[in-house]
PDB file of all heavy atoms in Angstrom:
ATOM      1  N   THR A 105     -14.513  18.459  -9.090  1.00  0.00           N
ATOM      2  CA  THR A 105     -15.200  17.153  -8.966  1.00  0.00           C
ATOM      3  C   THR A 105     -16.041  16.854 -10.207  1.00  0.00           C
ATOM      4  O   THR A 105     -16.829  17.682 -10.644  1.00  0.00           O
ATOM      5  CB  THR A 105     -16.126  17.161  -7.722  1.00  0.00           C
ATOM      6  OG1 THR A 105     -15.333  17.417  -6.579  1.00  0.00           O
ATOM      7  CG2 THR A 105     -16.856  15.836  -7.561  1.00  0.00           C
ATOM      8  N   GLN A 106     -15.837  15.649 -10.756  1.00  0.00           N
ATOM      9  CA  GLN A 106     -16.603  15.230 -11.921  1.00  0.00           C
ATOM     10  C   GLN A 106     -17.847  14.479 -11.454  1.00  0.00           C
ATOM     11  O   GLN A 106     -17.719  13.560 -10.631  1.00  0.00           O
ATOM     12  CB  GLN A 106     -15.730  14.274 -12.730  1.00  0.00           C
ATOM     13  CG  GLN A 106     -15.824  14.488 -14.217  1.00  0.00           C
ATOM     14  CD  GLN A 106     -14.895  13.509 -14.916  1.00  0.00           C
ATOM     15  OE1 GLN A 106     -13.693  13.475 -14.640  1.00  0.00           O
ATOM     16  NE2 GLN A 106     -15.453  12.703 -15.789  1.00  0.00           N
ATOM     17  N   VAL A 107     -19.012  14.855 -11.956  1.00  0.00           N
ATOM     18  CA  VAL A 107     -20.256  14.209 -11.520  1.00  0.00           C
ATOM     19  C   VAL A 107     -20.689  13.155 -12.532  1.00  0.00           C
ATOM     20  O   VAL A 107     -20.746  13.428 -13.730  1.00  0.00           O
ATOM     21  CB  VAL A 107     -21.379  15.253 -11.319  1.00  0.00           C
ATOM     22  CG1 VAL A 107     -22.685  14.569 -10.911  1.00  0.00           C
ATOM     23  CG2 VAL A 107     -20.971  16.289 -10.277  1.00  0.00           C
ATOM     24  N   LEU A 108     -20.962  11.946 -12.051  1.00  0.00           N
ATOM     25  CA  LEU A 108     -21.405  10.848 -12.910  1.00  0.00           C
ATOM     26  C   LEU A 108     -22.729  10.313 -12.360  1.00  0.00           C
ATOM     27  O   LEU A 108     -23.090  10.608 -11.217  1.00  0.00           O
ATOM     28  CB  LEU A 108     -20.379   9.713 -12.910  1.00  0.00           C
ATOM     29  CG  LEU A 108     -18.934  10.059 -13.265  1.00  0.00           C
ATOM     30  CD1 LEU A 108     -18.032   8.851 -13.029  1.00  0.00           C
ATOM     31  CD2 LEU A 108     -18.826  10.546 -14.707  1.00  0.00           C
ATOM     32  N   SER A 109     -23.412   9.478 -13.169  1.00  0.00           N
ATOM     33  CA  SER A 109     -24.643   8.873 -12.641  1.00  0.00           C
ATOM     34  C   SER A 109     -24.834   7.454 -13.156  1.00  0.00           C
ATOM     35  O   SER A 109     -24.235   7.057 -14.152  1.00  0.00           O
ATOM     36  CB  SER A 109     -25.864   9.727 -13.010  1.00  0.00           C
ATOM     37  OG  SER A 109     -26.157   9.580 -14.373  1.00  0.00           O
ATOM     38  N   GLY A 110     -25.649   6.701 -12.438  1.00  0.00           N
ATOM     39  CA  GLY A 110     -26.021   5.347 -12.852  1.00  0.00           C
ATOM     40  C   GLY A 110     -25.199   4.259 -12.191  1.00  0.00           C
ATOM     41  O   GLY A 110     -24.151   4.504 -11.582  1.00  0.00           O
ATOM     42  N   LEU A 111     -25.708   3.040 -12.345  1.00  0.00           N
ATOM     43  CA  LEU A 111     -25.074   1.873 -11.730  1.00  0.00           C
ATOM     44  C   LEU A 111     -23.669   1.623 -12.293  1.00  0.00           C
ATOM     45  O   LEU A 111     -22.735   1.290 -11.547  1.00  0.00           O
ATOM     46  CB  LEU A 111     -25.975   0.643 -11.937  1.00  0.00           C
ATOM     47  CG  LEU A 111     -25.481  -0.673 -11.363  1.00  0.00           C
ATOM     48  CD1 LEU A 111     -25.277  -0.582  -9.847  1.00  0.00           C
ATOM     49  CD2 LEU A 111     -26.465  -1.801 -11.675  1.00  0.00           C
ATOM     50  N   ALA A 112     -23.530   1.811 -13.612  1.00  0.00           N
ATOM     51  CA  ALA A 112     -22.212   1.565 -14.230  1.00  0.00           C
ATOM     52  C   ALA A 112     -21.161   2.505 -13.637  1.00  0.00           C
ATOM     53  O   ALA A 112     -20.002   2.109 -13.431  1.00  0.00           O
ATOM     54  CB  ALA A 112     -22.297   1.737 -15.739  1.00  0.00           C
ATOM     55  N   ALA A 113     -21.563   3.729 -13.324  1.00  0.00           N
ATOM     56  CA  ALA A 113     -20.613   4.692 -12.739  1.00  0.00           C
ATOM     57  C   ALA A 113     -20.241   4.288 -11.308  1.00  0.00           C
ATOM     58  O   ALA A 113     -19.090   4.476 -10.880  1.00  0.00           O
ATOM     59  CB  ALA A 113     -21.206   6.095 -12.768  1.00  0.00           C
ATOM     60  N   LEU A 114     -21.209   3.707 -10.587  1.00  0.00           N
ATOM     61  CA  LEU A 114     -20.893   3.215  -9.230  1.00  0.00           C
ATOM     62  C   LEU A 114     -19.841   2.102  -9.320  1.00  0.00           C
ATOM     63  O   LEU A 114     -18.885   2.057  -8.533  1.00  0.00           O
ATOM     64  CB  LEU A 114     -22.145   2.671  -8.536  1.00  0.00           C
ATOM     65  CG  LEU A 114     -23.212   3.680  -8.113  1.00  0.00           C
ATOM     66  CD1 LEU A 114     -24.440   2.957  -7.577  1.00  0.00           C
ATOM     67  CD2 LEU A 114     -22.670   4.622  -7.050  1.00  0.00           C
ATOM     68  N   GLU A 115     -20.027   1.233 -10.315  1.00  0.00           N
ATOM     69  CA  GLU A 115     -19.065   0.138 -10.501  1.00  0.00           C
ATOM     70  C   GLU A 115     -17.704   0.700 -10.918  1.00  0.00           C
ATOM     71  O   GLU A 115     -16.660   0.220 -10.471  1.00  0.00           O
ATOM     72  CB  GLU A 115     -19.590  -0.850 -11.549  1.00  0.00           C
ATOM     73  CG  GLU A 115     -20.840  -1.581 -11.090  1.00  0.00           C
ATOM     74  CD  GLU A 115     -21.412  -2.488 -12.168  1.00  0.00           C
ATOM     75  OE1 GLU A 115     -20.822  -3.542 -12.423  1.00  0.00           O
ATOM     76  OE2 GLU A 115     -22.453  -2.139 -12.755  1.00  0.00           O
ATOM     77  N   GLU A 116     -17.744   1.727 -11.756  1.00  0.00           N
ATOM     78  CA  GLU A 116     -16.496   2.322 -12.263  1.00  0.00           C
ATOM     79  C   GLU A 116     -15.647   2.925 -11.122  1.00  0.00           C
ATOM     80  O   GLU A 116     -14.444   2.680 -11.059  1.00  0.00           O
ATOM     81  CB  GLU A 116     -16.889   3.401 -13.264  1.00  0.00           C
ATOM     82  CG  GLU A 116     -15.788   3.854 -14.192  1.00  0.00           C
ATOM     83  CD  GLU A 116     -16.307   4.957 -15.112  1.00  0.00           C
ATOM     84  OE1 GLU A 116     -17.435   4.819 -15.647  1.00  0.00           O
ATOM     85  OE2 GLU A 116     -15.587   5.959 -15.262  1.00  0.00           O
ATOM     86  N   VAL A 117     -16.283   3.661 -10.232  1.00  0.00           N
ATOM     87  CA  VAL A 117     -15.482   4.269  -9.152  1.00  0.00           C
ATOM     88  C   VAL A 117     -15.067   3.238  -8.094  1.00  0.00           C
ATOM     89  O   VAL A 117     -14.134   3.471  -7.327  1.00  0.00           O
ATOM     90  CB  VAL A 117     -16.160   5.494  -8.481  1.00  0.00           C
ATOM     91  CG1 VAL A 117     -16.309   6.638  -9.470  1.00  0.00           C
ATOM     92  CG2 VAL A 117     -17.507   5.143  -7.852  1.00  0.00           C
ATOM     93  N   ALA A 118     -15.764   2.089  -8.078  1.00  0.00           N
ATOM     94  CA  ALA A 118     -15.366   1.009  -7.153  1.00  0.00           C
ATOM     95  C   ALA A 118     -14.153   0.255  -7.694  1.00  0.00           C
ATOM     96  O   ALA A 118     -13.383  -0.321  -6.926  1.00  0.00           O
ATOM     97  CB  ALA A 118     -16.534   0.048  -6.945  1.00  0.00           C
ATOM     98  N   ALA A 119     -14.014   0.254  -9.025  1.00  0.00           N
ATOM     99  CA  ALA A 119     -12.958  -0.561  -9.657  1.00  0.00           C
ATOM    100  C   ALA A 119     -11.852   0.296 -10.267  1.00  0.00           C
ATOM    101  O   ALA A 119     -10.913  -0.241 -10.852  1.00  0.00           O
ATOM    102  CB  ALA A 119     -13.597  -1.422 -10.754  1.00  0.00           C
ATOM    103  N   HIS A 120     -11.941   1.609 -10.135  1.00  0.00           N
ATOM    104  CA  HIS A 120     -10.985   2.522 -10.792  1.00  0.00           C
ATOM    105  C   HIS A 120      -9.537   2.153 -10.432  1.00  0.00           C
ATOM    106  O   HIS A 120      -9.232   1.904  -9.261  1.00  0.00           O
ATOM    107  CB  HIS A 120     -11.292   3.957 -10.344  1.00  0.00           C
ATOM    108  CG  HIS A 120     -10.637   4.994 -11.183  1.00  0.00           C
ATOM    109  ND1 HIS A 120      -9.282   5.251 -11.128  1.00  0.00           N
ATOM    110  CD2 HIS A 120     -11.139   5.824 -12.126  1.00  0.00           C
ATOM    111  CE1 HIS A 120      -8.985   6.204 -11.981  1.00  0.00           C
ATOM    112  NE2 HIS A 120     -10.087   6.576 -12.607  1.00  0.00           N
ATOM    113  N   PRO A 121      -8.654   2.120 -11.447  1.00  0.00           N
ATOM    114  CA  PRO A 121      -7.271   1.685 -11.166  1.00  0.00           C
ATOM    115  C   PRO A 121      -6.540   2.514 -10.111  1.00  0.00           C
ATOM    116  O   PRO A 121      -5.627   2.007  -9.454  1.00  0.00           O
ATOM    117  CB  PRO A 121      -6.562   1.822 -12.521  1.00  0.00           C
ATOM    118  CG  PRO A 121      -7.590   2.214 -13.512  1.00  0.00           C
ATOM    119  CD  PRO A 121      -8.909   2.371 -12.856  1.00  0.00           C
ATOM    120  N   GLU A 122      -6.933   3.780  -9.915  1.00  0.00           N
ATOM    121  CA  GLU A 122      -6.223   4.600  -8.917  1.00  0.00           C
ATOM    122  C   GLU A 122      -6.754   4.411  -7.494  1.00  0.00           C
ATOM    123  O   GLU A 122      -6.218   4.966  -6.533  1.00  0.00           O
ATOM    124  CB  GLU A 122      -6.315   6.077  -9.301  1.00  0.00           C
ATOM    125  CG  GLU A 122      -5.408   6.418 -10.482  1.00  0.00           C
ATOM    126  CD  GLU A 122      -5.535   7.860 -10.873  1.00  0.00           C
ATOM    127  OE1 GLU A 122      -5.396   8.727  -9.984  1.00  0.00           O
ATOM    128  OE2 GLU A 122      -5.797   8.127 -12.059  1.00  0.00           O
ATOM    129  N   VAL A 123      -7.834   3.617  -7.352  1.00  0.00           N
ATOM    130  CA  VAL A 123      -8.436   3.444  -6.017  1.00  0.00           C
ATOM    131  C   VAL A 123      -7.757   2.301  -5.262  1.00  0.00           C
ATOM    132  O   VAL A 123      -7.512   1.239  -5.825  1.00  0.00           O
ATOM    133  CB  VAL A 123      -9.954   3.158  -6.154  1.00  0.00           C
ATOM    134  CG1 VAL A 123     -10.561   2.697  -4.842  1.00  0.00           C
ATOM    135  CG2 VAL A 123     -10.659   4.399  -6.638  1.00  0.00           C
ATOM    136  N   HIS A 124      -7.450   2.535  -3.991  1.00  0.00           N
ATOM    137  CA  HIS A 124      -6.864   1.484  -3.150  1.00  0.00           C
ATOM    138  C   HIS A 124      -7.902   0.842  -2.236  1.00  0.00           C
ATOM    139  O   HIS A 124      -7.870  -0.358  -2.018  1.00  0.00           O
ATOM    140  CB  HIS A 124      -5.736   2.071  -2.289  1.00  0.00           C
ATOM    141  CG  HIS A 124      -4.684   2.754  -3.100  1.00  0.00           C
ATOM    142  ND1 HIS A 124      -4.580   4.118  -3.190  1.00  0.00           N
ATOM    143  CD2 HIS A 124      -3.718   2.251  -3.891  1.00  0.00           C
ATOM    144  CE1 HIS A 124      -3.578   4.434  -3.988  1.00  0.00           C
ATOM    145  NE2 HIS A 124      -3.043   3.319  -4.437  1.00  0.00           N
ATOM    146  N   VAL A 125      -8.776   1.677  -1.680  1.00  0.00           N
ATOM    147  CA  VAL A 125      -9.712   1.197  -0.654  1.00  0.00           C
ATOM    148  C   VAL A 125     -11.143   1.538  -1.070  1.00  0.00           C
ATOM    149  O   VAL A 125     -11.407   2.674  -1.499  1.00  0.00           O
ATOM    150  CB  VAL A 125      -9.421   1.891   0.708  1.00  0.00           C
ATOM    151  CG1 VAL A 125     -10.383   1.396   1.788  1.00  0.00           C
ATOM    152  CG2 VAL A 125      -7.982   1.690   1.130  1.00  0.00           C
ATOM    153  N   VAL A 126     -12.047   0.566  -0.927  1.00  0.00           N
ATOM    154  CA  VAL A 126     -13.461   0.828  -1.213  1.00  0.00           C
ATOM    155  C   VAL A 126     -14.272   0.520   0.037  1.00  0.00           C
ATOM    156  O   VAL A 126     -14.245  -0.608   0.542  1.00  0.00           O
ATOM    157  CB  VAL A 126     -13.972  -0.046  -2.381  1.00  0.00           C
ATOM    158  CG1 VAL A 126     -15.478   0.144  -2.582  1.00  0.00           C
ATOM    159  CG2 VAL A 126     -13.218   0.271  -3.671  1.00  0.00           C
ATOM    160  N   MET A 127     -14.972   1.529   0.533  1.00  0.00           N
ATOM    161  CA  MET A 127     -15.931   1.296   1.616  1.00  0.00           C
ATOM    162  C   MET A 127     -17.270   0.969   0.964  1.00  0.00           C
ATOM    163  O   MET A 127     -17.839   1.805   0.262  1.00  0.00           O
ATOM    164  CB  MET A 127     -16.046   2.557   2.490  1.00  0.00           C
ATOM    165  CG  MET A 127     -17.249   2.566   3.418  1.00  0.00           C
ATOM    166  SD  MET A 127     -17.410   1.110   4.475  1.00  0.00           S
ATOM    167  CE  MET A 127     -16.334   1.548   5.832  1.00  0.00           C
ATOM    168  N   ALA A 128     -17.752  -0.265   1.155  1.00  0.00           N
ATOM    169  CA  ALA A 128     -19.023  -0.685   0.556  1.00  0.00           C
ATOM    170  C   ALA A 128     -20.134  -0.458   1.569  1.00  0.00           C
ATOM    171  O   ALA A 128     -20.373  -1.309   2.426  1.00  0.00           O
ATOM    172  CB  ALA A 128     -18.950  -2.150   0.141  1.00  0.00           C
TER     173      ALA A 128
END
Side-chain angles (χ1 to χ4, degrees):
T105 301
Q106 221 179 304
V107 178
L108 306 172
S109 73
L111 180 59
L114 290 174
E115 294 176 74
E116 197 181 316
V117 295
H120 195 287
E122 286 178 52
V123 168
H124 304 104
V125 180
V126 175
M127 165 53 84

